[in-house]
Amino acid sequence: MFKLSSVRARLISYYLLSVALLVGVSVYALIQMLALDRLTESLDRRWIVGTRVLGEMADLLSETRLAETRLALAMDQQTTDKAVADADGFLTSLGYQRAAYGLLHKTEEEQRLLATFDSAWDNWVAQHRAWLALPPDQRLATSPAFQSGAEALYQSADDAIDALGDVNAAGAAAAGARADHIVDTSGTIFGIVVFFALLLASWVTWIIHSSISQPLASITKALSELAAGNRGIVIPQVGRHDEIGSMAAAFEVFRNNAVKLEESQALAEALARYDTLTGLANRRVLAEELEKALSRVDRGEAPFAVLLIDLDRFKPVNDIHGHSAGDLVLGEITARLRAVVRKHDTLARIGGDEFAIICDLADEGRDSTSMPIALAERIIAAVAAPVAIGTRMVEVGASIGIALCPADGVNAEALLRAADIAMYRAKQAGRGRFRFYEESMDTELKAKAAMEADVQRGLAASEIEPHYQALIELSGGRLLGFEILARWRHPEKGLVAPDLFIPVIERLGLMTEFTLTMLRRACLDAKEWPADLKLSLNVSPHELTDVLFPVRLLAVLAEKDFKPSRLEIEITENALVADLATAKTILQALQNAGIKIALDDFGTGYSSLYHLRELKLDKIKIDRSFIKSMKDNAESTKIVNGILGLAKSLALPATAEGIDDADILLRLSDAGCEIGQGNYFGKPMPATDASKIARQPRGKGKLRVVA
Ligand code: C2E
Ligand code: CA
Ligand code: CA
């Protein structure tokens, strides 16, 4: 169904109106035609036939008169007979015609005239018959008398016929006038109808134009404006409650959507080009600007430098103070960078705490380094100033790598890589520095990549194996257990120390797997060792962020049927600062299973009392650097004594590592250090050697553990 207000309904009503009008006109025309037809019929039947019959009668009358004359003048019998027969025939025919006319015409006037005719005619017929009955000679003699008598009758009958003729003529004239009238009024009415039909047609056309065509045209015009980009255009006809209104409303929705789409496109474009946090150009814009700078170099116009800035110590800001503090710091650093970078140089943020600058060297003449050096120094100084976060102050730094175009590369990728390598070297050199790219750096980087590949291969080939260094009870010289220390039995390089490959494994993200592999192998090696001998496993910071680590470690112990109480793990303090809560949970889980926790390298890191107490650690291991330097450094001895005092007050046993002579051993023992480890007792050794020592009878006073 359709709504009454719809365009369809309107068109249908116009159509119905037109049809009704047409039907009306047709019916009227039909009625008029029927009337005309009836008139014509009556004309035919009455007046025309009547007139014809009257003419016939007048003719017959004359013929009869002529036959009577011929009879009177007849000289022989034959002519006489012929004239008598003719006259008889004419009179009979006249009788028929008279009867026929009587059937057609019945008006009073006609009846009267017919009566006149009938009496004249009857008399005449009577006289005619009487005259005929006379003998021929008498007939001639009486002819003039008869003729004159008949003449009057003839005149009377003829007059009656004439009068009837007039009646017929008048009737025909009246019918004709009526027909004329019908035709005239029909014409007039038809004209009026045509006039109104034209009026209606014009009205309908005008209505269709004003309510349909014109609104459609205005919408079309608005649409073409919209297509041409005029988003402010008002779509007409929106308020209408019909299809055109719906269409206009749909176009309005379309217009609004287009506007929204364009706005969000613009926003997306901005987002795609600018960093939301700092408002700086992003990596994409940097790439575009680099291409432009490169094409200028191509045309021999101007060399330029790419500076890659990486913030130092930014991660701890995020970790300790939270991400919103990190964001504040980035905002402040951005403002400082903006202040030192020239307006026409490009400054972009290309990573969390990484920025890049394209530094134009057009005005630098031959010396292409002085400008980047000055800029780098200004940046380092600006970034190094403390940043306030609320009431607290944090300090970050900037390490900068610089690549020159065209000297260090002629495409974006090569330049960014060169700057990145230089930046990495600046970090390695101690942070807060800048470095220009040098080709040798790349060589080292390639060596690093080769090392990573080699470590992966070595791990897959199980070339890295646990070695064992004895842990000795200093008071009695008894063997307590072994620290597991990894060694890489390299097919070409021989035995490789862990300092060279542990960081690589860490970088490759394979640390947890590696630690568990070491433990698995150590459990196997220690299977036949006395049950009181302990194993001490080094665990790196990464594992203390992995909440599944305890489960996996305990699974290995269960698999190898190795009692958790025989295991000790060694952690360093930098494993604790990243996420203390998680580390605490993990350590707690391990301790709950019966595993002891030792804090390794104590004295080098934070040496935090808080950590010792909060984490309920079981042991501390004094870093070997202090032990070694006790020999000729009184300060170290004081530190070691201090640490031992601290351990005592916390009731924590202490292990001294790196003991390599008897003198130091004695001093430590005197100072109350419980456990010792070092080359004096025995270097880290393969499992076979450790097994021999483990199985030797152990007694008091036996301090050296040579296999
Ligand atoms: P660490 O945990 O502090 O291990 C003690 C280091 O001191 C060992 O070096 C050991 O050989 C060395 N050492 C012991 N006594 C003496 C001595 O009298 N003189 C000298 N000069 N050195 C002595 P190593 O085996 O080279 O290990 C270095 C570091 O590598 C370890 O330091 C540890 O942090 C790490 N590491 C070794 N194996 C593993 C492992 O399996 N997993 C993890 N996560 N780290 C390991
Ligand atoms: Ca250790
Ligand atoms: Ca250590």
Side-chain angles (χ1 to χ4, degrees):
M1 280 311 287
F2 52 83
K3 278 188 295 180
L4 222 71
S5 58
S6 73
V7 169
R8 199 151 75 108
R10 214 177 294 186
L11 284 176
I12 287 175
S13 61
Y14 300 154
Y15 171 75
L16 289 178
L17 204 65
S18 312
V19 167
L21 202 75
L22 248 160
V23 168
V25 171
S26 305
V27 167
Y28 171 79
L30 197 71
I31 290 168
Q32 292 300 314
M33 264 164 61
L34 286 175
L36 265 175
D37 191 50
R38 252 200 333 273
L39 261 174
T40 320
E41 211 177 302
S42 79
L43 259 176
D44 256 13
R45 223 179 46 233
R46 271 171 67 87
W47 314 121
I48 293 174
V49 173
T51 307
R52 211 172 49 231
V53 171
L54 287 174
E56 201 72 18
M57 281 166 70
D59 278 356
L60 287 168
L61 217 54
S62 306
E63 293 285 352
T64 311
R65 290 279 292 157
L66 276 173
E68 281 172 347
T69 308
R70 268 189 284 125
L71 186 63
L73 296 176
M75 302 302 276
D76 55 41
Q77 193 58 42
Q78 197 189 347
T79 312
T80 303
D81 291 346
K82 171 95 171 54
V84 169
D86 280 353
D88 263 358
F90 293 143
L91 285 174
T92 311
S93 294
L94 193 72
Y96 293 147
Q97 296 293 342
R98 159 65 186 87
Y101 192 83
L103 286 175
L104 279 173
H105 297 260
K106 300 235 167 49
T107 65
E108 225 170 274
E109 162 125 62
E110 284 170 306
Q111 301 286 0
R112 193 178 50 76
L113 287 170
L114 277 176
T116 311
F117 170 81
D118 285 345
S119 82
W121 191 57
D122 285 346
N123 282 333
W124 183 12
V125 170
Q127 286 186 24
H128 177 80
R129 300 230 188 279
W131 184 62
L132 267 189
L134 293 176
D137 51 325
Q138 278 188 25
R139 243 185 280 161
L140 189 64
T142 58
S143 180
F146 168 69
Q147 290 288 346
S148 65
E151 176 69 22
L153 290 171
Y154 169 77
Q155 268 322 315
S156 168
D158 202 38
D159 286 350
I161 288 174
D162 281 353
L164 279 170
D166 289 346
V167 169
N168 268 290
R178 256 204 331 279
D180 272 357
H181 177 73
I182 289 176
V183 170
D184 281 357
T185 44
S186 296
T188 309
I189 290 176
F190 202 74
I192 291 169
V193 167
V194 165
F195 172 74
F196 279 107
L198 279 175
L199 212 63
L200 179 78
S202 310
W203 178 68
V204 166
T205 310
W206 181 78
I207 283 191
I208 289 179
H209 172 73
S210 65
S211 69
I212 299 172
S213 318
Q214 212 222 317
L216 284 179
S218 67
I219 292 173
T220 310
K221 187 162 167 279
L223 279 184
S224 57
E225 289 253 340
L226 194 62
N230 181 358
R231 296 291 177 258
I233 192 80
V234 176
I235 306 279
Q237 310 293 330
V238 168
R240 280 172 66 138
H241 298 290
D242 61 4
E243 293 94 323
I244 293 177
S246 314
M247 182 174 84
F251 282 134
E252 175 139 289
V253 170
F254 171 73
R255 199 261 326 263
N256 294 342
N257 285 349
V259 168
K260 274 192 215 126
L261 190 71
E262 278 167 3
E263 281 168 3
S264 48
Q265 262 170 349
L267 189 71
E269 181 75 3
L271 285 179
R273 299 180 63 80
Y274 295 96
D275 170 46
T276 39
L277 177 65
T278 61
L280 291 178
N282 64 10
R283 194 174 269 279
R284 190 171 133 190
V285 176
L286 180 80
E288 288 171 8
E289 293 301 321
L290 259 181
E291 286 309 322
K292 285 185 205 159
L294 282 163
S295 63
R296 283 198 293 274
V297 169
D298 251 5
R299 295 195 297 269
E301 282 175 24
F304 65 92
V306 176
L307 280 76
L308 214 64
I309 305 160
D310 192 282
L311 298 186
D312 304 325
R313 298 178 300 275
F314 179 70
K315 194 177 169 332
V317 173
N318 260 342
D319 291 342
I320 297 166
H321 302 284
H323 284 268
S324 51
D327 289 352
L328 280 176
V329 171
L330 285 174
E332 172 61 23
I333 298 299
T334 300
R336 293 180 189 179
L337 290 176
R338 276 206 167 108
V340 297
V341 171
R342 297 176 304 178
K343 283 285 159 289
H344 63 284
D345 286 340
T346 302
L347 169 62
R349 179 175 176 225
I350 57 172
D353 59 351
E354 265 187 70
F355 300 85
I357 297 169
I358 302 173
C359 176
D360 180 42
L361 301 177
D363 307 324
E364 299 307 305
R366 276 166 189 279
D367 181 13
S368 58
T369 57
S370 59
M371 169 68 208
I373 289 175
L375 182 59
E377 282 172 345
R378 280 206 302 273
I379 290 170
I380 289 168
V383 174
V387 180
I389 315 171
T391 53
R392 288 166 299 181
M393 300 297 269
V394 297
E395 281 180 30
V396 292
S399 295
I400 305 174
I402 307 169
L404 299 172
C405 181
D408 299 334
V410 287
N411 64 59
E413 198 191 341
L415 281 169
L416 286 172
R417 192 179 121 83
D420 192 50
I421 292 170
M423 188 273 289
Y424 189 73
R425 293 307 296 263
K427 284 239 180 227
Q428 277 186 324
R431 295 157 195 265
R433 290 156 208 254
F434 67 88
R435 283 283 181 275
F436 278 91
Y437 171 76
E438 288 160 24
E439 231 169 85
S440 63
M441 294 176 179
D442 200 22
T443 320
E444 282 166 38
L445 206 75
K446 283 183 179 137
K448 194 173 135 192
M451 177 66 170
E452 286 176 1
D454 202 19
V455 165
Q456 269 176 308
R457 185 200 53 75
L459 284 171
S462 299
E463 286 172 9
I464 300 176
E465 58 185 43
H467 279 216
Y468 301 91
Q469 188 171 34
L471 293 158
I472 305 293
E473 182 186 54
L474 292 187
S475 60
R478 201 160 56 95
L479 176 68
L480 297 174
F482 295 94
E483 175 175 4
I484 305 166
L485 292 164
R487 293 291 180 271
W488 183 5
R489 202 173 287 283
H490 196 278
E492 289 151 20
K493 299 177 193 161
L495 219 50
V496 178
D499 295 328
L500 293 177
F501 61 84
I502 294 286
V504 181
I505 295 175
E506 250 160 6
R507 234 182 8 248
L508 290 170
L510 301 171
M511 205 56 215
T512 306
E513 215 42 64
F514 171 74
T515 302
L516 296 177
T517 306
M518 281 299 112
L519 177 64
R520 206 172 277 122
R521 291 183 64 167
C523 288
L524 276 178
D525 289 341
K527 203 155 186 75
E528 306 304 327
W529 301 353
D532 64 325
L533 283 189
K534 294 196 164 190
L535 284 182
S536 197
L537 177 72
N538 289 288
V539 161
S540 74
H542 170 77
E543 278 100 295
L544 294 195
T545 62
D546 176 6
V547 287
L548 290 178
F549 180 66
V551 181
R552 299 185 63 190
L553 183 134
L554 292 170
V556 170
L557 294 182
E559 172 199 320
K560 296 296 170 211
D561 195 18
F562 193 88
K563 280 207 187 73
S565 58
R566 284 183 69 190
L567 186 69
E568 194 170 274
I569 68 163
E570 300 186 6
I571 60 166
T572 55
E573 279 191 295
N574 37 350
L576 303 174
V577 287
D579 185 354
L580 187 61
T582 308
K584 195 174 168 184
T585 316
I586 292 169
L587 294 177
Q588 192 67 59
L590 293 170
Q591 280 177 321
N592 288 347
I595 297 170
K596 295 273 184 290
I597 314 289
L599 190 58
D600 205 355
D601 301 347
F602 194 79
T604 58
Y606 301 78
S607 308
S608 153
L609 265 177
Y610 175 77
H611 286 156
L612 289 178
R613 250 206 317 264
E614 181 67 15
L615 296 168
K616 302 195 180 67
L617 300 170
D618 300 298
K619 191 186 265 186
I620 52 178
K621 290 186 82 170
I622 306 168
D623 191 69
R624 63 181 182 273
S625 59
F626 298 112
I627 309 298
K628 270 195 213 152
S629 54
M630 274 170 75
K631 219 179 187 123
D632 38 34
N633 190 334
E635 200 58 33
S636 292
T637 309
K638 276 188 201 161
I639 292 172
V640 170
N641 286 338
I643 294 173
L644 287 171
L646 174 73
K648 190 153 281 152
S649 68
L650 290 170
L652 289 175
T655 304
E657 57 178 22
I659 302 174
D660 50 10
D661 65 45
D663 172 45
I664 288 177
L665 161 64
L666 276 175
R667 281 161 63 185
L668 285 165
S669 186
D670 288 348
C673 181
E674 284 93 340
I675 305 160
Q677 173 185 6
N679 291 352
Y680 175 74
F681 304 113
K683 293 186 174 180
M685 59 191 90
T688 42
D689 295 340
S691 290
K692 282 183 204 152
I693 292 168
R695 293 206 199 95
Q696 275 173 12
R698 280 171 287 148
K700 236 175 157 24
K702 182 167 175 29
L703 288 174
R704 309 293 285 270
V705 284
V706 182

